[in-house]
Amino acid sequence: SCRSSCTSWRAACGPLDFSPPAAILAVMLPRVILTAKDRGEMVLVPGGAFRFGTSQEDVGRALAELAEPADPIFTTELSPRNVTIRDCYIDRAPVTNLQYGLFLAETKYAPPLYWNEAPWNAPDRPVVGICFRDAEAYCRWAQKRLPSEEEWERAARGEDRRRWPWGDEFGIKNCNSREWNAGTTTEVGKFPAGRSPVGCDDMAGNVWEFTTGNWENFGKAIRGGSWKNPAAFCRTTCRWGIDPEIKGSTWLGFRCVMDLAKARIYGQVVR
């Protein structure tokens, strides 16, 4: 069973009242945990300072290499700046229909659009047809929350300012973007070569993902691009926004984060 294959936080990290310096604690933290409610793996996003956003020059170079036109939304990535986040855990993959089904069964929450429509309702594909409020409701049930833009970007690009989760050169076999030509969502984890530095899948393409950030006084910031978008929209710094009340998109999903304090309670150590 999942529980028998996981060790305890006490065995992995020592007594819970032990308070070493932050740098030492970050090394000691488990890299992967399993959360009981939604049976999902989460990976550690190390806290600290990193460079958030990108420069006009780098956007221009990426577009030139891709032979893609500029888009006004790319200006919202500017300018790069140093930000700091705390240690947290983030879902390895977007929330799937299988996981969302556990939430529906326990809470009797209203199902999303496309819940009974193939191919969108395949168990191992990201749940779609949801709005921001639906994502928040799932997070509360799972003892998690939605990521900030800063947490999401740190998980997607690491510390070396890469354009895509795997590096600076676009790879058509690394994500479900328009170039892959699926015409729909794909099962999460289908592109292991596109995994991010912390071990996240599908942070480029497949579905845009909600964050708690605000986008240009319009709506909630979404990140990652989708199966409908070309490569430039699937960069780690690309931002877009959506009205939080709108649901019905087949290209929008979410993943969750869990703060360290809750991870000690609700997370089982995998490794």
Side-chain angles (χ1 to χ4, degrees), residues 53-74:
T54 192
S55 66
Q56 182 65 59
E57 292 74 20
D58 189 66
V59 173
R61 284 192 295 268
L63 294 176
E65 292 170 16
L66 294 167
E68 289 187 25
D71 189 284
I73 75 165
F74 298 155

Side-chain angles (χ1 to χ4, degrees), residues 9-258:
W9 274 87
R10 184 175 295 275
C13 300
L16 298 186
D17 59 352
F18 177 58
S19 301
I24 298 176
L25 182 59
V27 173
M28 296 174 61
L29 291 173
R31 191 172 64 85
V32 183
I33 64 171
L34 186 76
T35 49
K37 273 280 192 178
D38 60 2
R39 306 173 192 172
E41 280 196 351
M42 305 189 82
V43 296
L44 176 67
V45 183
F50 77 102
R51 198 72 163 163
F52 177 79
T54 192
S55 66
Q56 182 65 59
E57 292 74 20
D58 189 66
V59 173
R61 284 192 295 268
L63 294 176
E65 292 170 16
L66 294 167
E68 289 187 25
D71 189 284
I73 75 165
F74 298 155
T75 63
T76 69
E77 305 169 39
L78 313 174
S79 295
R81 54 204 178 275
N82 291 326
V83 300
T84 301
I85 66 167
R86 294 184 175 183
D87 296 315
C88 64
Y89 286 89
I90 191 166
D91 287 341
R92 182 184 291 282
V95 173
T96 65
N97 288 309
L98 179 63
Q99 292 173 303
Y100 204 80
L102 298 174
F103 160 65
L104 297 182
E106 186 170 317
T107 64
K108 311 306 180 187
Y109 196 85
L113 297 177
Y114 316 112
W115 190 244
N116 296 311
E117 295 184 27
W120 314 110
N121 62 351
D124 54 359
R125 296 192 184 199
V127 64
V128 294
I130 49 93
C131 68
F132 187 79
R133 190 180 307 164
D134 300 331
E136 285 193 310
Y138 176 95
C139 288
R140 286 193 297 270
W141 167 79
Q143 299 296 331
K144 302 179 182 183
R145 60 176 174 83
L146 289 171
S148 68
E149 285 196 80
E150 293 81 3
E151 290 166 334
W152 191 99
E153 188 170 313
R154 173 62 177 83
R157 73 189 307 210
E159 297 178 291
D160 58 7
R161 309 181 192 180
R162 56 184 64 188
R163 291 177 186 163
W164 291 278
W166 56 87
D168 286 334
E169 184 176 342
F170 182 71
I172 192 171
K173 296 182 180 180
N174 290 355
C175 67
N176 179 17
S177 64
R178 183 187 295 175
E179 289 81 1
W180 182 251
N181 201 32
T184 180
T185 56
T186 48
E187 63 269 24
V188 301
K190 182 179 177 66
F191 302 92
R195 195 161 287 161
S196 81
V198 301
C200 287
D201 291 314
D202 297 87
M203 296 201 88
N206 217 2
V207 289
W208 288 93
E209 299 177 15
F210 275 119
T211 72
T212 58
N214 295 311
W215 192 80
E216 303 301 294
N217 299 313
F218 166 73
K220 304 310 293 185
I222 56 178
R223 305 295 295 263
S226 79
W227 59 271
K228 293 190 72 171
N229 301 112
F233 289 80
C234 300
R235 291 174 298 110
T236 55
T237 55
C238 186
R239 308 172 65 238
W240 195 26
I242 190 168
D243 185 326
E245 299 301 320
I246 290 177
K247 66 169 66 183
S249 300
T250 58
W251 41 260
L252 177 62
F254 68 101
R255 77 178 73 211
C256 315
V257 298
M258 181 176 278

